[in-house]
Amino acid sequence: MPSGQRARAQASAITPGRQTPDAEPAPVERVRALFGGHRLSPGQRRIAQYITDNLTEAAFLSITDLADRVGVSQPSVTRFASSVGFSGYPALREALQPIALSAVAGSPEPGESHRNELQTAVDAEIANLESLRRRFADTGQVLEVGRELARSVPLTILGLRISTSLAEYFAYAARRIHPDVRLVSRGGSVAYDALLQSREAGGTWVLAFAMPRHAKETLSAVRAARRTGLRTALITDLTLGPLVDEVDVALTAGTGSRLVFDSYSAPGVLSAAILQAMVDADPERTQRRLEQYEHAAEQHDFFLED
């Protein structure tokens, strides 16, 4: 490994840490924390998603208005409140209102300069990255997932439809530091065959990517991985839903949704962090493989001179 690359690998090694007491979660994260850890029905997930997406309004709606906005019955809202640990809807609304007020307090003042659509999209991605930065205060989950993926030989990377680009990026980089990385970018029986072959070859883990719009074939592939005996880690924007329910570990990063097509700054950084954790899990193998790659790149003249 060239000295500069070796220094970078050492300098960026992840060290264990814990959430600092003064780190204040964002309002959306506080709402998700209220709903997380509960197994919800599809209708209840719709209510949770509506509240999360429309917090400053939803926290002050009557039960009738909330039911109408979501398209469910009033008893469904009451059952949802009970399912997430409250005595009823009034108690849930009472818990949501201070969070909503804090979100309003953090909003730009009316006199602030107007931002155009592209600036607003960038601002939203900055917020996603800030949220991810707060999660990284505790590196334990990332380090553990990196260790497990590094040990899985072969390692399968799954990404279908819009998620294929993230899966390809991860697989391309992982092949530099891992001896057997297999990319699955087609669903159906093709995906099942690949997952079964990976398990029969000794693989233990799959890393799956699921970005909006979330494909049914991704859920089918994740379930197929479980049937073959593979464990699954998922990088997604979801905190609730059937995909999260089916995997062993879910790592969440928000996507930019202000433009016609989503952007993936935070999922990209999260992917790079998992790769770094794989590097940290076996530094000797990493150094050996990177040195071999650099030798091949020089021998075959892969790259332009900077």
Side-chain angles (χ1 to χ4, degrees):
M1 188 195 309
S3 58
Q5 192 170 15
R6 183 184 296 111
R8 180 182 175 190
Q10 294 170 348
S12 56
I14 302 170
T15 55
R18 300 299 304 174
Q19 183 77 22
T20 53
D22 57 349
E24 179 65 25
V28 169
E29 291 179 346
R30 293 166 63 189
V31 172
R32 287 172 175 165
L34 289 178
F35 303 152
H38 302 280
R39 188 170 290 274
L40 302 176
S41 69
Q44 289 171 340
R45 288 196 292 268
R46 285 171 55 199
I47 298 171
Q49 195 62 54
Y50 181 87
I51 293 173
T52 303
D53 292 344
N54 304 275
L55 173 61
T56 55
E57 176 190 26
F60 299 93
L61 293 175
S62 68
I63 188 171
T64 303
D65 288 339
L66 179 60
D68 287 344
R69 301 290 175 85
V70 182
V72 298
S73 66
Q74 293 180 39
S76 295
V77 176
T78 300
R79 286 193 294 270
F80 167 74
S82 299
S83 296
V84 295
F86 292 90
S87 59
Y89 177 68
L92 171 60
R93 186 171 61 178
E94 185 178 348
L96 290 170
Q97 286 177 355
I99 303 175
L101 290 172
S102 71
V104 172
S107 299
E109 295 298 325
E112 288 190 9
S113 59
H114 174 70
R115 295 179 175 86
N116 64 40
E117 292 83 352
L118 296 182
Q119 290 174 311
T120 301
V122 172
D123 289 341
E125 283 288 42
I126 291 171
N128 288 333
L129 290 168
E130 287 286 356
S131 177
L132 184 65
R133 182 180 182 276
R134 287 189 291 270
R135 291 197 194 100
F136 280 170
D138 181 355
T139 58
Q141 185 185 48
V142 169
L143 288 167
E144 179 60 26
V145 170
R147 281 192 292 266
E148 294 295 338
L149 298 184
R151 292 174 186 148
S152 179
V153 181
L155 170 62
T156 303
I157 310 301
L158 172 71
L160 308 179
R161 292 186 177 269
I162 198 69
S163 302
T164 300
S165 59
L166 285 167
E168 287 179 336
Y169 157 75
F170 192 98
Y172 179 89
R175 289 187 181 112
R176 301 289 174 265
I177 59 174
H178 189 287
D180 190 352
V181 176
R182 304 184 182 188
L183 175 65
V184 179
S185 57
R186 295 174 60 191
S189 60
V190 174
Y192 185 82
D193 286 347
L195 293 166
L196 184 60
Q197 290 170 5
S198 179
R199 182 69 185 110
E200 290 177 344
T204 53
W205 279 83
V206 176
L207 176 64
F209 291 84
M211 299 293 116
R213 297 170 65 190
H214 306 99
K216 291 181 178 179
E217 57 190 331
T218 300
L219 179 58
S220 297
V222 166
R223 288 172 172 166
R226 172 170 285 182
R227 288 197 300 272
T228 66
L230 289 163
R231 302 184 70 189
T232 305
L234 176 70
I235 293 181
T236 184
D237 66 312
L238 297 168
T239 54
L240 300 167
L243 274 168
V244 174
D245 292 341
E246 291 287 343
V247 301
D248 296 279
V249 181
L251 302 108
T252 305
T255 59
S257 58
R258 297 302 182 99
L259 303 175
V260 174
F261 296 102
D262 291 344
S263 51
Y264 306 115
S265 297
V269 173
L270 178 55
S271 299
I274 297 296
L275 287 163
Q276 180 64 49
M278 291 175 63
V279 167
D280 296 348
D282 195 338
E284 292 182 0
R285 184 178 73 182
T286 295
Q287 179 168 329
R288 183 175 63 254
R289 292 188 61 81
L290 287 176
E291 285 177 346
Q292 291 170 350
Y293 179 76
E294 288 301 325
H295 176 73
E298 184 177 350
Q299 181 180 5
H300 298 287
D301 198 21
F302 287 170
F303 303 112
L304 296 171
E305 293 293 333
D306 291 335

